[in-house]
Amino acid sequence: MKKILLRSLFFLMAASILLLAACGNQQSQEKPNKQANDLLAQVKKSGELRIGTEGIYPPFTFHDKSGKLTGFDVDLAREVAKRLGVKPVFMETQWDAMFAGLDAKRFDMIANEVGIRPDRQQKYDFSDPYITSMAVLVVHKDNKKVSKFEDIKGLKAAQSMTSNFADLARSYGAQIVGVEGFNQAIELLSSKRADVTINDNLSVLDYLRQKPDAPIKIVAKHSDASQSGFMFRKGSDTLVEAVNKALEDMKKDGTYAKISKKWFGEDVSK
């Protein structure tokens, strides 16, 4: 009887040790996994916020005459990084490659006036909207045939292939001529190698402000306004929350309005 009791006690103790070891292993595994999913912690540990952007989309992200990367989105992202206590590292790439770069973890976020729309929200996380804009239809000054969006059916529209504006042009039956960014779209339009381009009203107005003699004109404004935000991979919750807090604080203390007025002459957050 004593042998049976001792044997049972031995097995019970062994099972308890194994159970405790398993729990310890599980906790040790869960902790690193939790840290691995905390993008904000990773960013702060590295001391850098990697930001994907085009660098050819004025006034949001472009190079000034000295070659320095600047623009509304760039200034906004720099201020966000400053408030997170890290260095902003901008990584320039074409629009159509930015999403793939984010997927491949080359960037932590994208700052390029990315429109917030349902199909993108299924795959990506977004910050709170930081700007609202509308699409405008732009043609050559000599064009007398196009005065509304319905007129572009069958015409060549110079657009970034995966942009909101390309989708809008397709919806009206236009033939898409792929471009790398805003400047190339305007070049094709100015040289009459494209019939139209649909683009952001703020970008077009800024371009005409700088180049009033440019041979282009706005002929129509779309009724639908678009909100844009910083874009992240799904699961970037901690970083998204921190970025939203930074944006909120910037609006409260007037920093956002200062940056906005620098580029647009008014507060475009409303």
Side-chain angles (χ1 to χ4, degrees):
M1 178 64 72
K2 288 183 179 180
K3 288 184 179 181
I4 294 173
L5 289 172
L6 288 172
R7 188 177 299 171
S8 299
L9 182 61
F10 173 77
F11 282 120
L12 184 60
M13 291 176 63
S16 298
I17 292 170
L18 289 173
L19 181 60
L20 288 171
C23 290
N25 287 336
Q26 184 177 0
Q27 288 176 356
S28 64
Q29 287 175 1
E30 286 176 354
K31 190 172 182 180
N33 286 340
K34 187 175 181 180
Q35 291 177 344
N37 291 330
D38 189 344
L39 185 54
L40 178 61
Q42 294 176 36
V43 166
K44 289 194 171 185
K45 183 178 180 181
S46 69
E48 295 181 345
L49 178 64
R50 299 172 302 163
I51 305 164
T53 194
E54 277 183 294
I56 54 171
Y57 186 37
F60 301 99
T61 163
F62 68 105
H63 290 264
D64 61 19
K65 292 180 180 179
S66 69
K68 179 184 177 182
L69 181 67
T70 188
F72 175 72
D73 280 44
V74 173
D75 282 355
L76 213 59
R78 282 196 176 113
E79 183 64 25
V80 166
K82 177 182 175 182
R83 292 177 185 238
L84 295 182
V86 297
K87 176 184 176 182
V89 177
F90 291 93
M91 306 175 73
E92 297 176 54
T93 187
Q94 296 177 8
W95 169 269
D96 293 328
M98 275 195 302
F99 292 67
L102 186 64
D103 293 339
K105 299 185 178 181
R106 287 184 57 213
F107 326 128
D108 302 308
M109 77 176 197
I110 289 176
N112 207 94
E113 206 205 3
V114 182
I116 302 172
R117 63 189 203 192
D119 61 324
R120 288 177 181 159
Q121 288 176 307
Q122 289 180 5
K123 186 175 181 181
Y124 300 100
D125 286 339
F126 281 88
S127 70
D128 293 335
Y130 60 78
I131 194 169
T132 301
S133 60
M134 68 176 66
V136 291
L137 180 61
V138 187
V139 301
H140 194 279
K141 278 187 174 180
D142 296 340
N143 193 321
K144 308 293 184 183
K145 296 181 179 180
V146 177
S147 61
K148 55 186 184 298
F149 284 88
E150 288 77 9
D151 294 335
I152 70 174
K153 184 176 182 179
L155 300 183
K156 295 179 180 178
Q159 311 291 158
S160 296
M161 295 297 288
T162 58
S163 68
N164 288 2
F165 303 126
D167 292 341
L168 187 58
R170 290 187 188 97
S171 73
Y172 283 98
Q175 299 176 20
I176 305 301
V177 178
V179 296
E180 294 181 1
F182 176 84
N183 288 337
Q184 189 179 5
I186 298 300
E187 287 174 11
L188 291 182
L189 191 59
S190 299
S191 61
K192 298 185 178 181
R193 287 178 287 168
D195 301 304
V196 303
T197 185
I198 298 175
N199 233 295
D200 183 270
N201 67 310
L202 296 172
S203 293
V204 178
L205 291 174
D206 178 72
Y207 181 84
L208 289 172
R209 178 178 62 82
Q210 296 184 55
K211 299 182 178 181
D213 296 328
I216 64 170
K217 61 182 179 182
I218 295 174
V219 293
K221 296 180 180 180
H222 203 269
S223 58
D224 292 338
S226 172
Q227 291 186 315
S228 299
F230 296 125
M231 192 170 83
F232 308 80
R233 287 183 300 279
K234 279 289 186 186
S236 303
D237 301 19
T238 54
L239 182 58
V240 175
E241 289 173 7
V243 169
N244 283 341
K245 178 67 166 54
L247 288 172
E248 182 183 357
D249 291 344
M250 288 164 63
K251 290 178 180 179
K252 286 181 179 178
D253 64 25
T255 304
Y256 179 95
K258 183 179 178 181
I259 294 173
S260 180
K261 288 175 182 177
K262 171 185 174 181
W263 292 105
F264 307 113
E266 61 182 69
D267 187 347
V268 296
S269 64
K270 302 175 182 178

